[in-house]
Amino acid sequence: MPDYQSHTAAVVTEGCKVNSYESAAIAEALAREGFCVRPASEDCDVYVVNTCTVTAASDKTARQMIRRLIAACGTITQESFESQDVSQVM
């Protein structure tokens, strides 16, 4: 198992209550792997944005965040990117 003791991570939730539960599980998994989980307002090595595209507002906010990220998960990655030019988002 890699040593992530000196790495920091933040999990950002955009969307529904289900996403909140999923984000908590993601944060717990990161902590188990040795990441120091911090608030997203702090500088971190890794940011995970868990998205929901049920509303246009959450979709827009998630897209803005993803433009600055390396990895993302959630329904925005499954639905929206398939129907759009990803180069506009990344």
Side-chain angles (χ1 to χ4, degrees):
M1 177 169 93
D3 179 16
Y4 296 112
Q5 293 294 327
S6 63
H7 290 74
T8 58
V11 180
V12 180
T13 305
E14 288 297 326
C16 61
K17 285 184 182 181
V18 173
N19 282 45
S20 296
Y21 295 116
E22 290 173 343
S23 292
I26 292 168
E28 289 174 13
L30 288 167
R32 277 194 308 273
E33 291 296 320
F35 282 88
C36 177
V37 179
R38 297 182 175 174
S41 59
E42 296 183 19
D43 287 337
C44 294
D45 298 310
V46 175
Y47 293 88
V48 177
V49 179
N50 190 9
T51 63
C52 179
T53 60
V54 172
T55 67
S58 64
D59 188 78
K60 181 180 178 182
T61 303
R63 287 178 188 285
Q64 291 170 343
M65 288 180 171
I66 290 170
R67 285 186 181 108
R68 299 183 300 252
L69 299 176
I70 295 172
C73 64
T75 55
I76 194 168
T77 57
Q78 298 163 358
E79 301 291 332
S80 299
F81 289 164
E82 291 174 3
S83 64
Q84 294 189 7
D85 180 6
V86 176
S87 65
Q88 294 176 354
V89 178
M90 299 284 192

